[in-house]
Amino acid sequence: MGLAVREVSKSFGDIAAVRKVSLDVPPGMIYGLIGPNGAGKTTTMRMIMTILNPDRGEITWKGQPVRKVASRYFGYLPEERGLYPNMTIREQLRFFAALHGISGPGVDREIDEWIARLDLTEHATKKVEELSKGNAQKVQFVAALLHHPELLILDEPFSGLDPVNVRLLKEALVSLATQGTTILFSTHRMEHVEELCQRMALIRGGQIVVEGTVDEVRRSTGRMLLRLQVDGGRDGTVELLRSFAELPAPRHTPAGWEVEVPAGFDPQQVLRQAVATGATVTRFEVTPPSLEDVYITIMGGEAGNE
Ligand code: ATP
């Protein structure tokens, strides 16, 4: 039993920011909350962290109301980053640890390990105001976990990081999860969810639109794609696909020729036909659309309401 969010709602005046959101994050899992700007991700996280009170609904951690456990067992990387500009990285991290009642050589060693692990060593004696945005963000991430929280809530942890730092942070998240930390993070980017998460929710207009494993979400639209490549290059593949009147026009993708499989159409007949014509099939795949495709189908190209 991990984090349970049950039918939680929150309005700001006329704006229904979060509407009957329910989700479960089992212990040790990395969970992705994905949606456009203004979808309600930050508001949901603030309610989990007890910074905001829900108007309705209930949030529990291992069966206990979050207001009893959040300050001790949860770590939070907020959307608005808040570090003290005049402190060095080490001072800053010692300060955040001390806020949780932790000090001494043990935590100093741990701080140095994180500084090395996140490639901050050459900046360790710099003041926070001298740091780049990405480096300051990494410091704030470390600040969120020095008290060894059971649940880490990360609001857009990858925003503003270059690919090398995205990789470092992903490795850190995977290793924390392996050690049993439960992680919930928000993002706009599908590839982060696809790579890291066991479960995810798509949220829009304050409501969860689809929730489940990455595979379940990919299958949720019911759409299937057929990818085909036969020897002889473009013409052979396209000609074969076009010989089926029921199929829409194929498109070329980095993964080969791709066509949407209409309801009731058995893609195996394409394979049988290819073999019957003596073609050599180098790729035949029937797959749900990518997470990115699903996001665009469900969100309808929505750019957000902020
Ligand atoms: P983003 O990806 O842009 O961070 P989000 O999914 O985190 O967006 P929220 O910040 O939760 O979305 O906002 C949800 C809605 O609630 C938005 O319409 C926002 O304007 C509104 N909102 C959030 N906080 C407040 C507040 N304190 N007062 C009034 N409205 C608010």
Side-chain angles (χ1 to χ4, degrees), residues 61-291:
W61 172 249
K62 297 184 174 172
Q64 300 253 61
V66 280
R67 81 189 113 75
K68 290 195 176 162
V69 293
S71 61
R72 175 133 179 236
Y73 296 117
F74 297 180
Y76 184 42
L77 176 71
E79 190 177 42
E80 69 296 339
R81 320 293 190 210
L83 295 171
Y84 295 89
N86 286 319
M87 289 187 190
T88 66
I89 293 185
R90 268 201 196 88
E91 285 166 355
Q92 187 87 217
L93 291 172
R94 282 196 191 123
F95 173 82
F96 278 106
L99 283 183
H100 282 100
I102 309 164
S103 59
V107 73
D108 285 350
R109 200 165 40 244
E110 209 172 318
I111 287 171
D112 282 343
E113 277 165 20
W114 276 109
I115 284 176
R117 199 162 161 189
L118 294 180
D119 203 14
L120 288 164
T121 310
E122 64 174 300
H123 309 289
T125 53
K126 281 189 189 164
K127 289 185 174 167
V128 164
E129 65 186 354
E130 299 169 68
L131 294 179
S132 69
K133 186 170 165 254
N135 285 332
Q137 189 158 320
K138 288 191 290 180
V139 174
Q140 185 128 18
F141 168 72
V142 178
L145 55 78
L146 287 172
H147 61 295
H148 299 173
E150 293 182 354
L151 175 67
L152 252 186
I153 303 280
L154 308 171
D155 202 342
E156 300 195 15
F158 300 108
S159 77
L161 294 186
D162 66 37
V164 173
N165 281 317
V166 166
R167 171 77 26 227
L168 286 175
L169 189 60
K170 281 183 177 169
E171 285 166 5
L173 295 190
V174 170
S175 97
L176 286 164
T178 308
Q179 290 159 32
T181 310
T182 309
I183 299 170
L184 171 71
F185 74 89
S186 66
T187 179
H188 303 270
R189 304 280 295 273
M190 237 59 54
E191 73 261 27
H192 300 325
V193 174
E194 207 142 30
E195 200 179 326
L196 285 175
C197 297
Q198 289 87 47
R199 288 186 80 84
M200 59 173 295
L202 275 177
I203 180 166
R204 179 184 61 178
Q207 285 177 303
I208 303 243
V209 187
V210 47
E211 201 267 351
T213 63
V214 170
D215 194 53
E216 283 165 357
V217 171
R218 284 184 64 194
R219 291 176 188 279
S220 65
T221 62
R223 294 170 57 213
M224 290 301 273
L225 300 171
L226 165 62
R227 292 201 187 119
L228 182 76
Q229 199 68 48
V230 300
D231 249 2
R234 174 201 153 94
D235 291 349
T237 312
V238 173
E239 204 178 298
L240 180 70
L241 290 169
R242 289 221 173 112
S243 69
F244 291 89
E246 308 94 307
L247 288 180
R251 34 178 199 269
H252 194 254
T253 73
W257 287 92
E258 191 176 277
V259 69
E260 184 107 20
V261 180
F265 182 88
D266 176 11
Q268 296 298 326
Q269 61 186 300
V270 177
L271 185 59
R272 284 195 290 272
Q273 170 87 8
V275 172
T277 58
T280 305
V281 178
T282 52
R283 178 190 279 268
F284 177 84
E285 192 182 5
V286 183
T287 169
S290 69
L291 217 44

Side-chain angles (χ1 to χ4, degrees), residues 12-13 15-18 35-44 46 52 79 155-156 186 188 203 305-306:
F12 299 103
I15 301 169
V18 171
N37 294 127
K41 303 181 294 296
T42 298
T43 305
T44 302
R46 287 186 180 146
L52 289 172
E79 190 177 42
D155 202 342
E156 300 195 15
S186 66
H188 303 270
I203 180 166
N305 57 12
E306 282 206 330

Side-chain angles (χ1 to χ4, degrees), residues 9-47:
S9 299
K10 179 78 187 173
S11 293
F12 299 103
D14 294 342
I15 301 169
V18 171
R19 295 188 273 172
K20 290 199 168 181
V21 160
S22 295
L23 51 91
D24 280 284
V25 187
M29 180 173 277
I30 307 184
Y31 191 102
L33 196 55
I34 190 151
N37 294 127
K41 303 181 294 296
T42 298
T43 305
T44 302
M45 292 182 159
R46 287 186 180 146
M47 288 191 285

